[in-house]
Amino acid sequence: MRPARTLVLSAALGAGLAATLWAQQFKFNLDHLEGKATEHVDLSLNSSMLTFASKFLDGKDPDEAKAKKLIGGISGIYIKSFEFKDDGGYSQADLDKIRSQLKAPEWGRMVGIKSGAEGENIEVWVRMESGKVSGIAILASEPRELTVANLVGNIDLESLADLGGHFGLPKMKKK
Amino acid sequence: MDWLEQELAQALARKEPAAGFDARVRARLNRRPQWLAIAATVLVMLGVGEAWHVRQQEGQLAKEQVMTAMRIAGGKLNRVQTHLKGTGQ
């Protein structure tokens, strides 16, 4: 009887944890854009992948050391980024489908910027749990570029922005 | 005892092995495990080396993916930060 009870309890805890993690993530619903994009990046790194990767990050390299420290609090990174040859490669509905999943009270839009000259829009959404950041979502769109990122876990936004400032434009995967 | 019994008795009679037979058998028995051990060790080392190589490649790939993710997400946050600093917020 005892092993059966333990099994049920473990399953319930596992399901609870999975449900919590699932709630921190959202569905991208952007697979249909892959055919239209000239270049795209699709990254899906779960907790075990991040732990594995952190073993290969060089603590002596300043950027890699920062990345290593950052992913210590992150349990998942999911990114889709597309570049299109012409304007209109994606629709406003694609963005709305994602926005509709970022609901209060867990999710709140922290900041949104609009750059008129380049037609760039970036929204940063934050998920809070017990007063702590438990996930962020970034929606960045330009006329010919769309990037959606979901980072799950406790993220140091300042360090991440600082790290992003050190790098040039990332090389995208050619289709 | 007829001739058949005599033939059989002769054929099945105990014969002493040639001189040095015992030493040759012992030497061969001692030699074989050494070669087997060496061959097994080489195979294990090759297997371990290959597994290590594959793991290194997978690790490098995972590292590159993490760094690319950081570049993309961090780059966008940095754009926001720069924009906000520019507008004095």
Side-chain angles (χ1 to χ4, degrees):
Chain A
M1 195 67 188
R2 197 176 248 184
R5 201 180 297 169
T6 311
L7 196 69
V8 169
L9 193 65
S10 302
L13 281 170
L17 185 67
T20 307
L21 284 173
W22 182 249
Q24 289 168 354
Q25 294 173 31
F26 52 84
K27 288 178 185 171
F28 283 72
N29 299 323
L30 297 170
D31 290 349
H32 61 285
L33 297 180
E34 284 177 15
K36 296 181 192 173
T38 49
E39 295 181 19
H40 82 273
V41 172
D42 186 354
L43 291 168
S44 184
L45 299 159
N46 61 20
S47 178
S48 56
M49 273 289 279
L50 291 171
T51 307
F52 179 57
S54 75
K55 289 174 187 165
F56 292 86
L57 288 166
D58 185 2
K60 288 172 191 163
D61 180 283
D63 287 340
E64 289 188 23
K66 269 189 184 177
K68 192 170 189 166
K69 196 177 170 191
L70 263 167
I71 61 173
I74 300 175
S75 54
I77 301 177
Y78 307 92
I79 292 176
K80 275 186 190 277
S81 188
F82 304 92
E83 264 185 33
F84 304 97
K85 195 180 171 191
D86 302 303
D87 291 7
Y90 63 92
S91 67
Q92 202 56 42
D94 292 322
L95 284 171
D96 289 341
K97 271 184 206 167
I98 294 164
R99 280 195 200 102
S100 66
Q101 297 175 62
L102 306 171
K103 289 174 186 162
E106 293 91 2
W107 287 97
R109 201 174 90 153
M110 190 172 83
V111 66
I113 65 156
K114 217 172 222 185
S115 169
E118 297 158 31
E120 184 184 32
N121 290 296
I122 305 178
E123 295 170 30
V124 181
W125 294 72
V126 177
R127 186 187 156 91
M128 300 295 286
E129 254 178 283
S130 312
K132 281 183 180 176
V133 175
S134 64
I136 65 163
I138 301 167
L139 275 70
S141 57
E142 286 178 54
R144 295 180 186 182
E145 198 182 312
L146 175 66
T147 300
V148 182
N150 179 203
L151 282 80
V152 182
N154 189 6
I155 300 123
D156 181 354
L157 294 176
E158 193 82 20
S159 297
L160 185 57
D162 188 38
L163 191 58
H166 288 188
F167 297 120
L169 283 172
K171 190 102 181 120
M172 289 185 125
K173 185 169 75 184
K174 290 258 180 205
K175 271 202 80 186
Chain B
M1 192 181 282
D2 61 14
W3 65 271
L4 184 62
E5 282 178 2
Q6 272 182 357
E7 288 282 319
L8 278 171
Q10 244 175 8
L12 299 174
R14 182 186 168 89
K15 281 181 184 169
E16 285 305 315
F21 176 78
D22 180 53
R24 285 201 302 277
V25 170
R26 282 176 195 278
R28 189 170 289 179
L29 281 173
N30 285 338
R31 223 174 24 235
R32 186 181 284 173
Q34 279 176 358
W35 281 110
L36 275 176
I38 290 166
T41 307
V42 168
L43 278 174
V44 167
M45 280 172 72
L46 283 173
V48 168
E50 182 59 22
W52 183 84
H53 184 67
V54 168
R55 193 179 154 80
Q56 288 295 313
Q57 281 184 327
E58 286 174 350
Q60 288 301 321
L61 184 70
K63 184 181 99 170
E64 286 304 318
Q65 287 182 333
V66 165
M67 294 310 284
T68 303
M70 294 290 176
R71 283 181 195 123
I72 294 172
K76 297 298 177 193
L77 285 177
N78 191 265
R79 289 276 302 142
V80 171
Q81 212 174 38
T82 308
H83 188 90
L84 293 179
K85 276 178 189 165
T87 55
Q89 284 184 45

